[in-house]
């Protein structure tokens, strides 16, 4: 057959044409995605100056959720409505959430004095909450039959623990109000 | 009588098989943050998956070709190859989420570290794929998954203010504390969770392998049209439990352990134990389906022999693909990534990938070359086009919303 | 060529991309073999032994279904040397429907080496690899 | 020659003018009488387990639906009829411009519009094939692209 000599030119033209076509489609898709992303991005409050304050509020809301989860878990375990593996897992998960809140606050660079004060208040409240949740985990372990009775920091009763957790939750709320959160 | 039993079994497994880790996590997260104000999305998603699954089942049964064979035929090797890469990656993400879900649920049952459960769970999935008669595994996983009805029981035991729940749902009224972009982000995630594409690969491949007759097709349509809406009701119950117990306490769901707390509150340890078994079964069943789907997509694109009815040696590349997918899933989980985060990611990307499978199925369902007299009717096509718009809109919006909201935080 | 010599009863017009390319190829037992990645065109009415390549403008017909590396080059451009084609002779094709059905068994074709290799060296060696999942064990 | 050389190639007229892209190749398949020596009954599904049985006299409800379209004619040679040229390329693999499928509205209508002007050139009129480029002979014919 009159097979084309592989003289390059024609072959290259054809191939290039093909590559350009698929490249053009990909290009359109990318442009569309970026355009959408930027327009959508503009509508969100994160882009505004109160960024640091919002980040503090987010971290505190997260911590608040963790403390409330722990309170619920302790109440359920005390009423024998939840199994100890679930209770232990639930509280352990909350310890991790509080770690995240802490690192969110510690890695934040507050741009001004106001947000700096908010951050510091938040750090104190989260540290306090972490202590209480860790204590709750020890209490759960003891309820599960782990021999931790020697550990001095473990609250003796569920109601003591609940009171501590409630105080920690209130402190978080106060700090959150300071950061303008609901 | 036996026939009735078969229908009942089919419906029950469809209900149990509807909920997977994606539905579980997304519904609980949404319930704890938005109450029932996103229930409408579940309704839209359930109608969509009914339409999509029954259409792909019909296409597969009539044409004798499974979904990814059709995608390759219609889109050609290049576009279908891109589609394959995306679908396979997202399916792998879903598989990872399901295996992680099994491990988390077993952690709740045993308090043994999830990291130790991950390889065990993956091995068990492989063993079942390798050895167990398919009908058996599908029915066992589906029926045990039905224990998730415990969420519905819990909702009644909680005795919520039904009027208030209804007010949240109709008209949808999201809490003022949440940003509107976050609301829509979770709407897309919930839609992706209800309409996960792997169910369609799975469903259509089954139809081809089993060589469905008109009778089989009719029965499967019943399974889908009755089972999936009831499964959707289960999803709503999960969201409602979170909305009743967690939302007022200001708890935002970020882990599986929080999802089951409302059940414990309502029904105590017994109901809790049943629900945990249900979660293990539902995620295990979904892990089987997603692992199979990874084999189906690749094998169908490349024309390999595939299928659960073949001896593994008669579908060697198919089985090797599934093993590789499971190993990849384990490797991802072993980087100590949070399975719940993987799940949230997987449902959003499922929404992104939906048009890739939905569009070819819709087109082929209208092609007389494939379908003969069984082409779509007018009503199906009208609904099909409405969903085409919804599916494309969700896919286009998903990633911008994800970036804008910082993945919903 | 082992095509049986019954006279054609008619003609069916198909478009390659629409009806043949990327279709599933099944062997005589219904086992999937491959997909149609490309087709080789040869000169029509050539002597049996000396098959000639197709020439534009002169009668041409399909000589073989090609699979294997041809897929990769169709994706990425270029074309593999003829020695790397994995051909299934068109004379082995029986039916053309939503799948292409062959009149021979997959094992008699040499387009299967990856499957065979994995079967012999990996899957067949794992306990249960040759077990029929539908039989009670 | 392989088909990959032809598909998506640029199509040039005898004078080198650009006519569009080669979107498809048309073949004529000889159909053979069914039930010949190479025909076998009782193999309808890839699934071995479900694939047995199904005698042809079974009740229609008990036969796999896919039998209706899966096995069409037994075919013989596949001769090249001609090449299809579209002024544009891309979505043509859907083939709507060559069939009379109208559903789902409005997809076929839009695709058809995009491929208006697609025509069939008989293989006799193809003068030369080079990678990425097909040249037509002088006095080439443009025929209707519709599939019969």
């Amino acid at each position: 057959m009159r097979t084309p000599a592989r003289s390059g030119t024609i072959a290259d033209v054809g191939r290039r044409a093909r590559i350009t076509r698929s490249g053009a489609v990909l290009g359109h898709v990318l442009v569309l995605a970026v355009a959408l992303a930027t327009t959508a991005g503009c509508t969100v409050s994160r882009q505004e100056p109160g960024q640091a304050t919002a980040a503090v509020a987010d971290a505190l809301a997260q911590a608040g959720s963790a403390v409330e989860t722990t309170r619920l878990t302790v109440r359920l375990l005390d009423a024998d409505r939840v199994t100890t593996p679930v209770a232990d897992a639930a509280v352990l998960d909350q310890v991790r959430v509080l770690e995240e809140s802490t690192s969110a606050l510690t890695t934040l660079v507050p741009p001004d004095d106001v947000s700096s004060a908010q951050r510091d208040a938040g750090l104190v409240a989260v540290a306090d909450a972490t202590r209480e949740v860790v204590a709750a985990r020890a209490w759960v372990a003891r309820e599960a039959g782990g021999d931790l009775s020697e550990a001095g920091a473990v609250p003796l009763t569920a109601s003591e623990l609940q009171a501590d957790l409630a105080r920690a939750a209130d402190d978080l709320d106060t700090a959150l109000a300071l950061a303008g959160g609901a | 009588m036996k026939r009735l039993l078969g229908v009942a079994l089919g419906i029950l497994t469809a209900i149990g098989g509807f909920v997977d880790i994606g539905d579980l996590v997304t519904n609980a997260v949404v319930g704890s943050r938005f109450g029932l104000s996103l229930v409408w999305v579940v309704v839209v998603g359930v109608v969509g998956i009914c339409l999509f699954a029954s259409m792909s089942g019909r296409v597969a049964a009539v044409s004798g070709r499974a979904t990814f064979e059709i995608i390759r035929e219609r889109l050609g090797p290049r576009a279908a190859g891109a589609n394959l890469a995306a679908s396979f990656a997202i399916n792998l993400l879903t598989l990872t989420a399901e295996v992680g879900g099994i491990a988390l649920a077993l952690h709740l049952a045993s308090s043994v570290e999830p990291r130790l459960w991950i390889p065990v769970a993956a091995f068990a999935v492989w063993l079942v794929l390798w050895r167990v008669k398919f009908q058996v595994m599908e029915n066992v996983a589906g029926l045990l998954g039905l224990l998730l009805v415990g969420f519905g029981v819990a909702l009644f035991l909680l005795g919520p203010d039904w009027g208030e729940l209804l007010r949240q749902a109709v008209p949808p009224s999201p809490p003022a504390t949440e940003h509107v972009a976050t609301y829509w982000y979770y709407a897309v995630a919930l839609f992706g969770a209800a309409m996960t594409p792997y169910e369609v690969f799975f469903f259509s491949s089954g139809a081809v392998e089993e060589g469905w007759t008109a009778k089989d097709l009719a029965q499967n349509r019943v399974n889908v049209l009755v089972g999936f809406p009831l499964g959707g009701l289960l999803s709503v119950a999960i969201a409602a439990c979170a909305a009743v117990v967690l939302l007022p306490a200001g708890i935002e769901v970020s882990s599986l352990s929080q999802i089951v707390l409302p059940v414990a509150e309502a029904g105590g340890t017994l109901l809790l134990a049943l629900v945990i078994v249900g979660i293990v079964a539902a995620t295990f069943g979904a892990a089987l389906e997603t692992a199979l789907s990874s084999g189906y997509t690749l094998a169908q694109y490349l024309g390999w022999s595939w299928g659960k009815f073949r001896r593994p040696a008669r579908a060697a590349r198919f089985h090797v693909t599934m093993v590789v997918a499971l190993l990849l899933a384990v490797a991802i989980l072993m980087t100590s990534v949070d399975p719940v985060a993987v799940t949230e990611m997987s449902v959003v990307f499922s929404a992104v990938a939906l048009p890739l499978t939905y569009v070819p199925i819709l087109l082929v369902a209208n092609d007389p070359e494939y379908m003969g007299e069984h082409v779509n009717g007018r009503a199906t096509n009208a609904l099909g086009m409405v969903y085409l718009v919804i599916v494309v809109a969700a896919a286009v919006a998903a990633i911008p919303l994800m970036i804008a909201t910082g993945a919903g935080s | 060529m082992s095509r049986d010599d019954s006279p054609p009863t008619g003609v069916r017009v198909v478009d390659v991309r629409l009806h043949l390319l990327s279709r599933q190829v099944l062997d005589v037992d219904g086992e999937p073999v491959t997909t149609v990645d490309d087709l080789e065109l040869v000169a029509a009415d050539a002597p049996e032994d000396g098959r000639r390549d197709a020439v534009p403008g002169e009668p041409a017909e399909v000589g073989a279904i090609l699979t294997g590396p041809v897929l990769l080059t169709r994706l990425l451009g270029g074309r593999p040397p003829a020695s790397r084609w994995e051909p299934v002779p068109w004379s082995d094709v029986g039916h053309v429907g939503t799948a292409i059905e062959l009149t021979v068994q997959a094992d008699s074709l040499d387009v299967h080496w990856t499957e065979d290799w994995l079967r012999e060296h990996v899957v067949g060696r794992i306990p249960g690899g040759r077990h029929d999942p539908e039989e009670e064990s | 020659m392989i088909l990959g050389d032809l598909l998506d190639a640029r199509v040039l007229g005898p004078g080198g003018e650009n006519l569009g892209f080669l979107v498809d190749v048309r073949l004529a398949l000889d159909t053979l009488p069914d039930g010949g020596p190479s025909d076998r009954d009782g193999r309808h599904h890839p699934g071995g387990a479900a694939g047995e049985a199904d005698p042809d006299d079974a009740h229609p409800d008990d036969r796999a639906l896919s039998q209706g379209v899966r096995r069409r004619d037994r075919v013989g040679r596949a001769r090249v009829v001609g090449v299809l040229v579209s002024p544009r390329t891309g979505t043509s693999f859907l083939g709507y411009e060559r069939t009379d499928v109208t559903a789902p509205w409005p997809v076929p209508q839009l695709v058809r519009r995009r491929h208006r002007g697609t025509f069939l050139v008989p293989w006799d009129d193809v003068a030369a094939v080079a990678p990425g480029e097909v040249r037509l002979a002088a006095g080439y014919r443009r025929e209707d692209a519709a599939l019969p």
Side-chain angles (χ1 to χ4, degrees):
Chain A
M1 85 172 265
R2 275 163 271 166
T3 310
R6 230 154 257 256
S7 56
T9 41
I10 307 178
D12 283 352
V13 168
R15 204 169 306 148
R16 213 174 301 138
R18 235 174 290 174
I19 291 167
T20 334
R21 277 199 302 281
S22 53
V25 174
L26 190 68
H28 282 302
V29 172
L30 277 179
V31 168
L32 188 69
V34 171
L36 279 167
T38 34
T39 39
C42 290
T43 64
V44 174
S45 58
R46 288 301 171 71
Q47 305 299 319
E48 287 155 22
Q51 215 177 358
T53 305
V56 172
D58 265 1
L60 288 172
Q62 227 183 356
S65 160
V67 173
E68 292 299 339
T69 307
T70 311
R71 282 174 79 181
L72 176 60
T73 309
V74 168
R75 179 161 63 73
L76 292 176
L77 186 62
D78 192 42
D80 280 331
R81 298 189 77 78
V82 71
T83 56
T84 41
V86 173
D88 183 60
V91 179
L92 177 61
D93 286 332
Q94 302 324 308
V95 175
R96 298 216 176 98
V97 170
L98 287 164
E99 269 171 25
E100 270 176 43
S101 306
T102 310
S103 75
L105 290 175
T106 46
T107 52
L108 188 71
V109 184
D112 56 6
D113 288 348
V114 179
S115 54
S116 182
Q118 288 165 345
R119 195 269 299 267
D120 292 346
L123 266 178
V124 172
V126 171
D128 185 39
T130 308
R131 199 168 45 247
E132 299 308 338
V133 171
V134 168
R137 185 142 192 264
W139 179 82
V140 169
R142 202 177 52 197
E143 288 291 297
D147 189 18
L148 286 166
S149 46
E150 302 300 315
V154 180
L156 290 173
T157 65
S159 54
E160 261 178 59
L161 183 57
Q162 286 288 18
D164 290 347
L165 285 167
R167 200 167 58 262
D170 286 345
D171 291 350
L172 281 170
D173 277 346
T174 316
L176 185 57
L178 195 65
Chain B
M1 187 61 213
K2 199 176 169 194
R3 168 123 200 230
L4 203 66
L5 211 65
V7 173
L9 186 68
I11 292 174
L12 291 179
T13 50
I15 302 172
F18 180 83
V19 177
D20 69 347
I21 188 76
D23 293 290
L24 201 61
V25 168
T26 319
N27 278 289
V29 169
V30 163
S32 75
R33 291 181 60 170
F34 300 93
L36 288 188
S37 62
L38 278 165
V39 160
W40 64 271
V41 179
V42 176
V43 176
V44 172
V46 166
V47 173
I49 191 71
C50 284
L51 172 79
F52 193 14
S54 60
M55 196 150 66
S56 70
R58 180 159 45 90
V59 167
V62 176
S63 70
R65 310 263 52 93
T67 298
F68 230 89
E69 294 174 335
I70 282 171
I71 290 175
R72 167 88 193 262
E73 282 171 27
R74 289 291 92 179
L75 300 187
R78 201 168 306 152
N83 190 332
L84 174 72
S87 298
F88 193 89
I90 289 161
N91 191 62
L92 184 64
L93 200 63
T94 313
L95 173 62
T96 308
E98 306 292 352
V99 173
I102 304 173
L104 287 182
L106 287 171
H107 171 57
L108 292 185
S110 68
S111 74
V112 173
E113 271 280 293
R115 276 170 74 91
L116 297 178
W117 278 121
I118 289 163
V120 176
F123 183 76
V125 169
W126 173 76
L127 204 62
V128 169
L129 291 172
W130 189 256
R131 230 16 232 262
V132 175
K133 198 171 166 175
F134 195 79
Q135 211 62 45
V136 174
M137 80 186 199
E138 202 177 24
N139 289 344
V140 168
L143 290 179
L144 284 177
L146 262 188
L147 289 173
L148 291 178
V149 169
F151 279 102
V153 175
L155 184 61
F156 278 95
L157 291 177
L158 285 169
D161 178 352
W162 297 102
E164 164 59 22
L165 285 181
L166 198 66
R167 255 193 306 286
Q168 289 174 4
V170 206
S173 37
T177 47
E178 298 283 359
H179 198 283
V180 65
T182 318
Y183 180 81
W184 284 102
Y185 172 73
Y186 277 106
V188 169
L190 211 49
F191 186 67
M195 280 192 76
T196 34
Y198 78 83
E199 293 187 38
V200 170
F201 298 134
F202 178 73
F203 203 68
S204 71
S205 303
V208 172
E209 277 193 276
E210 293 161 23
W212 280 3
T213 63
K215 207 158 72 186
D216 294 328
L217 187 62
Q219 173 167 342
N220 275 279
R221 188 175 295 152
V222 172
N223 292 351
V224 164
L225 293 184
V226 180
F228 283 180
L230 290 175
L233 218 53
L234 257 184
S235 297
V236 174
I238 294 167
C241 279
V244 170
V245 176
L246 306 180
L247 177 66
I251 295 174
E252 287 182 9
V253 169
S254 63
S255 59
L256 194 63
S257 55
Q258 289 168 309
I259 297 174
V260 298
L261 287 180
V263 177
E265 161 110 51
T269 48
L270 179 65
L271 194 60
L272 179 64
L274 291 178
V275 161
I276 290 174
V277 174
I279 295 177
V280 173
T283 48
F284 196 90
L288 293 173
E289 293 181 8
T290 42
L292 280 166
S293 294
S294 65
Y296 287 145
T297 49
L298 195 64
Q300 288 166 7
Y301 175 84
L302 290 166
W304 299 344
S305 59
W306 49 269
K308 57 202 187 216
F309 285 120
R310 288 198 165 82
R311 293 155 207 263
R314 294 301 302 177
R317 289 171 292 190
F318 171 71
H319 270 272
V320 168
T321 307
M322 292 196 292
V323 170
V324 170
L326 274 169
L327 289 176
L328 283 173
V330 170
I332 294 171
L333 287 168
M334 281 304 178
T335 62
S336 65
V337 61
D338 177 11
V340 173
V342 176
T343 304
E344 292 186 356
M345 210 57 85
S346 77
V347 294
V348 175
F349 279 105
S350 289
V352 176
L354 257 179
L356 299 178
T357 43
Y358 182 79
V359 174
I361 291 289
L362 180 64
L363 296 182
V364 167
N366 281 292
D367 190 339
E369 292 265 342
Y370 288 84
M371 301 299 291
E373 74 216 67
H374 297 278
V375 289
N376 273 357
R378 265 170 200 280
T380 312
N381 268 336
L383 194 60
M385 288 310 292
V386 170
Y387 269 89
L388 181 65
V389 174
I390 298 176
V391 159
V392 170
V396 171
I399 294 191
L401 281 173
M402 186 173 200
I403 297 168
T405 61
S409 64
Chain C
M1 290 215 177
S2 59
R3 158 99 41 235
D4 75 88
D5 300 321
S6 13
T9 52
V11 164
R12 192 170 128 217
V13 175
V14 296
D15 284 349
V16 165
R17 233 187 201 164
L18 232 41
H19 300 116
L20 290 178
L21 284 186
S22 291
R23 297 246 165 168
Q24 178 76 50
V25 179
L26 305 174
D27 82 349
V28 70
D29 300 318
E31 288 284 312
V33 182
T34 180
T35 45
V36 181
D37 292 325
D38 214 329
L39 295 175
E40 184 195 18
L41 298 182
V42 297
D45 308 317
E48 290 279 303
D49 43 345
R51 223 158 50 153
R52 289 181 304 128
D53 203 357
V55 176
E58 290 176 25
E61 66 177 320
V62 176
I65 291 170
L66 305 180
T67 71
V70 173
L71 173 64
L72 213 63
T73 52
R74 272 195 70 199
L75 292 179
L76 305 174
R79 109 187 252 213
S83 60
R84 301 283 315 278
W85 298 350
E86 294 178 6
V88 177
W90 184 259
S91 53
D92 288 340
V93 171
H95 294 261
V96 173
T98 53
I100 316 282
E101 293 179 45
L102 303 180
T103 55
V104 296
Q105 290 204 317
D107 298 337
S108 71
L109 304 164
D110 42 346
V111 292
H112 232 208
W113 64 271
T114 42
E115 177 82 19
D116 296 338
W117 190 89
L118 284 173
R119 181 179 304 161
E120 291 314 314
H121 294 89
V122 184
V123 173
R125 295 195 173 186
I126 303 172
R130 296 176 190 277
H131 165 81
D132 186 340
E134 291 304 299
E135 279 166 14
E136 297 302 335
S137 47
Chain D
M1 185 186 306
I2 60 175
L3 266 171
D5 292 346
L6 295 173
L7 293 174
D8 289 334
R10 195 172 284 277
V11 179
L12 303 179
E17 70 274 24
N18 193 359
L19 297 175
F21 294 95
L22 194 153
V23 289
D24 215 333
V25 174
R26 182 153 298 174
L27 301 177
L29 302 180
D30 288 347
T31 52
L32 302 178
D34 237 327
S38 60
D39 206 33
R40 257 213 239 163
D41 281 326
R43 49 178 178 90
H44 312 299
H45 326 281
E52 286 127 32
D54 277 23
D56 279 350
D57 53 354
H59 189 268
D61 272 4
D62 294 329
R63 299 177 62 177
L65 280 169
S66 54
Q67 281 183 54
V69 289
R70 265 277 300 287
R71 308 180 75 212
R72 291 223 177 97
D73 330 301
R74 210 154 65 86
V75 301
R77 300 194 142 160
R79 291 166 216 275
V80 179
V81 173
V83 297
L84 289 149
V85 182
S86 165
R88 303 191 220 178
T89 187
T91 46
S92 160
F93 46 78
L94 296 170
Y96 285 127
E97 75 280 7
R98 287 165 265 163
T99 63
D100 49 10
V101 176
T102 54
W105 183 90
V107 181
Q109 288 77 3
L110 290 176
V111 175
R112 208 163 281 146
R113 213 182 142 83
R114 197 174 133 76
H115 282 278
R116 254 181 327 194
T118 301
F119 57 95
L120 173 73
V121 178
W123 183 244
D124 298 346
D125 294 341
V126 176
V129 175
E133 196 182 85
V134 171
R135 192 178 291 262
L136 302 182
Y140 69 90
R141 289 159 287 172
R142 283 172 177 246
E143 294 180 0
D144 187 8
L147 273 166

